[in-house]
């Protein structure tokens, strides 16, 4: 079983702050890294799928980077808003695990006014 | 498009009862998945189906069976429910494993 770890476990920021969190994953047999946004009482929704070392993806105020050699990805949120409050999940797909994503336990972000 | 639908939304079972959770997707996706979500544990894969006609065990398959009925539908069966199976169950689908997964609304199951 692969180990995908996310830090911090939870984060509380003020509106307008920029923030980032980390996902670490096994670098061996790496295939893809997924980021999902999960609001309370809803279902996870995909933010990014990243495959290449050095890849950077952006969607509005949210961006992500990928380092496959050392096995980590950062998710950045610029100018946090209350609607960014959610749990952010990362998941790793490694070739040794066939078709299975392994999820981390998430970073819970709360943005207050 | 409805995306991924799941039924039921809520269910209470007594220990030893059986039930089937239904999942359907209308996006013509090849791969479908069943996860359970427990506090502090994140999403854990129960079973998945990489393509129609195939199913494989995930991280926590014990106590469950699945059927990939056709390309659209993937059901999860609890033959003899146990309190340890109290959880929220999510079905998901994707074009293929590397691509983003689309999740259903979840089924909250309580086993007493």
């Amino acid at each position: 079983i692969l180990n995908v770890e996310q830090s911090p476990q939870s984060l509380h920021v003020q509106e307008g702050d920029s923030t980032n969190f980390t996902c670490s994953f096994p670098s061996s047999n790496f295939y893809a890294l997924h980021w999902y946004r999960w609001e309370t009482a809803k279902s996870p929704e995909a933010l990014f799928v990243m495959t290449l070392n050095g890849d950077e993806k952006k969607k509005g105020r949210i961006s992500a980077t990928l380092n496959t050699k050392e096995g980590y990805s950062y998710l950045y949120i610029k100018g946090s808003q209350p609607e960014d409050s959610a749990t952010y999940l990362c998941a790793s797909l490694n070739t040794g695990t066939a078709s299975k994503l392994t999820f981390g336990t998430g970073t819970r972000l709360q943005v207050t006014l | 498009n409805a995306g991924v639908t799941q039924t039921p939304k809520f269910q209470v079972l007594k220990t030893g009862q059986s039930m089937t959770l239904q999942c359907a997707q209308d996006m013509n996706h090849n791969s479908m998945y069943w996860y359970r979500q427990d506090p502090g544990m994140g999403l854990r894969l129960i079973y998945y189906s990489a393509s129609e006609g195939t199913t494989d065990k995930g991280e926590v398959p014990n106590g469950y069976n699945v059927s990939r009925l056709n390309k659209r539908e993937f059901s999860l069966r609890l033959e003899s429910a146990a309190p340890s199976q109290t959880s929220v169950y999510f079905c998901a689908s994707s074009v293929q494993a590397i691509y983003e997964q689309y999740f259903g609304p979840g089924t909250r199951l309580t086993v007493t």
Side-chain angles (χ1 to χ4, degrees):
Chain A
I1 295 174
L2 298 179
N3 212 20
V4 177
E5 296 185 354
Q6 294 186 246
S7 63
Q9 197 170 15
S10 64
L11 195 53
H12 196 147
V13 302
Q14 301 274 330
E15 183 182 14
D17 288 349
S18 293
T19 186
N20 65 85
F21 0 108
T22 306
C23 172
S24 63
F25 55 88
S27 55
S28 60
N29 302 316
F30 173 80
Y31 200 29
L33 193 282
H34 292 210
W35 280 101
Y36 291 84
R37 182 171 178 276
W38 193 358
E39 288 182 71
T40 302
K42 293 189 177 179
S43 306
E45 291 184 353
L47 285 171
F48 306 114
V49 176
M50 308 171 79
T51 57
L52 300 175
N53 185 46
D55 212 1
E56 290 189 35
K57 299 249 179 178
K58 188 175 180 183
K59 186 181 284 190
R61 293 178 291 98
I62 304 177
S63 60
T65 61
L66 181 66
N67 182 322
T68 62
K69 295 188 189 309
E70 296 180 42
Y72 65 83
S73 175
Y74 293 132
L75 189 80
Y76 300 91
I77 301 179
K78 187 177 176 182
S80 302
Q81 300 296 310
E83 57 264 31
D84 296 327
S85 298
T87 297
Y88 292 83
L89 297 173
C90 71
S92 175
L93 183 66
N94 294 64
T95 53
T97 61
S99 306
K100 299 178 285 190
L101 276 181
T102 300
F103 281 85
T105 53
T107 293
R108 186 183 174 99
L109 174 67
Q110 189 166 355
V111 183
T112 53
L113 297 170
Chain B
N1 284 354
V4 180
T5 56
Q6 290 181 236
T7 55
K9 283 191 167 51
F10 301 94
Q11 184 72 50
V12 179
L13 291 178
K14 292 190 189 317
T15 297
Q17 287 185 317
S18 62
M19 79 161 294
T20 299
L21 280 65
Q22 306 286 354
C23 174
Q25 51 91 9
D26 62 1
M27 296 174 282
N28 201 35
H29 285 171
N30 294 306
S31 302
M32 297 185 75
Y33 313 85
W34 275 106
Y35 295 93
R36 58 179 289 173
Q37 189 255 327
D38 302 293
M41 302 291 284
L43 284 168
R44 292 185 293 168
L45 184 66
I46 305 170
Y47 270 94
Y48 68 101
S49 171
S51 60
E52 186 179 357
T54 69
T55 60
D56 283 288
K57 294 178 181 179
E59 186 184 346
V60 288
N62 291 347
Y64 305 95
N65 283 303
V66 290
S67 295
R68 183 76 184 265
L69 303 168
N70 47 54
K71 193 170 186 180
R72 288 187 66 248
E73 298 171 287
F74 188 39
S75 62
L76 178 73
R77 182 158 179 86
L78 286 72
E79 290 291 351
S80 179
S84 60
Q85 294 178 304
T86 293
S87 188
V88 181
Y89 291 85
F90 286 96
C91 176
S93 71
S94 65
V95 173
Q96 288 177 27
I98 194 173
Y99 295 100
E100 61 189 0
Q101 292 188 8
Y102 292 80
F103 286 81
T107 295
R108 186 173 292 274
L109 175 67
T110 302
V111 183
T112 60

